[in-house]
Amino acid sequence: EVQLVESGGGLVQPGGSLRLSCAASGFTFSSYSMNWVRQAPGKGLEWVSYISSSSSTIYYADSVKGRFTISRDNAKNSLYLQMNSLRAEDTAVYYCARGSPEVPYFDYWGQGTLVTVSS
Amino acid sequence: QTVVTQEPSFSVSPGGTVTLTCGLSSGSVSTSYYPSWYQQTPGQAPRTLIYSTNTRSSGVPDRFSGSILGNKAALTITGAQADDESDYYCVLYMGSVWVFGGGTKLTVL
């Protein structure tokens, strides 16, 4: 069974940093691309970042470019999101989502971790 | 900036049929955008329903179907049930970014 478990969320002050993790199990992690998708309270979904299976290709949404860094450790079956210079508008539940290898969509989702940026 | 449009809300009677759409602020949605659809109930993670325009994800009942209608992607629910009451999101792939629509809140009553 595919499982994605996010962790690392919490309360952080504006301008601060936080690192999210996503632990994957139930599939060959190194064969799949991964994504981060977020959802602000009461709002819709927003794609944040993509990383290919080998980390050779990385994409970011304009809203986080230059502040967030996606990475992965295939030996540890883990995905990460380093978030710097956090703003109030980054407050959201952050989901990790597996990318399908054949077509560009998100086939499995974690339960999410809440990040709150507030003083 | 490209905006993906969805109806903010929709209502359907139990047993009825409803079609939700996913459009572009400028231009037409085609299969080359690989439209996909996700269902989300409050407090839960999204669930994948449809990908690549019209392919149902594993375990999704066949009363959910996807298509291109005119210049939009569409999600049709045939024989709506009470537990279909959810938020529905489409997302379009645009080469190096994915853009979600604002979501449609579906009420079954």
Side-chain angles (χ1 to χ4, degrees), chain B residues 29-68:
Chain B
V29 176
S30 67
T31 57
S32 61
Y33 287 99
Y34 297 94
S36 54
W37 292 88
Y38 304 85
Q39 178 191 47
Q40 188 182 37
T41 52
Q44 299 297 313
R47 169 198 181 197
T48 305
L49 294 177
I50 300 286
Y51 63 93
S52 197
T53 304
N54 56 12
T55 304
R56 273 185 298 276
S57 188
S58 177
V60 174
D62 59 7
R63 55 199 181 77
F64 291 91
S65 62
S67 64
I68 297 289

Side-chain angles (χ1 to χ4, degrees), chain B residues 3 9 18 20 22 27 31-32 35 45 51-52 56-57 62 66 78 82 85 95 98 100 102 109:
Chain B
V3 176
S9 62
V18 62
L20 312 182
C22 175
T31 57
S32 61
Y51 63 93
S52 197
R56 273 185 298 276
S57 188
D62 59 7
T78 304
E85 185 161 294
W98 284 259
F100 280 91
L109 53 77

Side-chain angles (χ1 to χ4, degrees), chain A residues 39 45 59 95 104 106 109-110, chain B residues 38 40 45 48 89 96 98 100:
Chain A
Q39 186 170 36
L45 299 169
Y59 302 131
Y95 297 100
F106 315 116
W109 298 69
Chain B
Y38 304 85
Q40 188 182 37
T48 305
Y89 295 93
S96 59
W98 284 259
F100 280 91

Side-chain angles (χ1 to χ4, degrees), chain A residues 75-91:
Chain A
K76 294 183 177 179
N77 291 340
S78 293
L79 172 72
Y80 306 102
L81 186 67
Q82 176 67 42
M83 304 185 296
N84 298 331
S85 303
L86 283 162
R87 307 166 180 167
E89 54 264 38
D90 295 318
T91 294

